[in-house]
Amino acid sequence: MISKSIATDLYEGKELTRFFSLLSSVQGLAPICAPVLGGVLLGMMDWRGIFAVLLALGA
């Protein structure tokens, strides 16, 4: 919800439509890609390594 309100504050017209399209794509692809990426990471490291990757992404 926050991303939609920020988008309406920052963009108008075609730019807003383009941003909502991108936002919808990311929201649709993330639940598909996240488990696959998690499985690949788990194959390369243990569960502590996955938390380290999440920490690095968050920072």
Side-chain angles (χ1 to χ4, degrees):
M1 196 56 155
I2 293 173
S3 60
K4 289 184 180 182
S5 63
I6 291 173
T8 55
D9 288 343
L10 294 177
Y11 302 110
E12 292 180 354
K14 287 186 176 185
E15 291 177 343
L16 181 62
T17 306
R18 190 176 297 128
F19 182 79
F20 277 144
S21 174
L22 177 66
L23 188 63
S24 297
S25 299
V26 170
Q27 288 176 344
L29 288 175
I32 297 169
C33 296
V36 173
L37 183 59
V40 169
L41 287 174
L42 192 58
M44 296 186 314
M45 57 188 75
D46 62 351
W47 64 271
R48 291 178 193 97
I50 293 178
F51 279 105
V53 170
L54 290 173
L55 176 70
L57 286 174

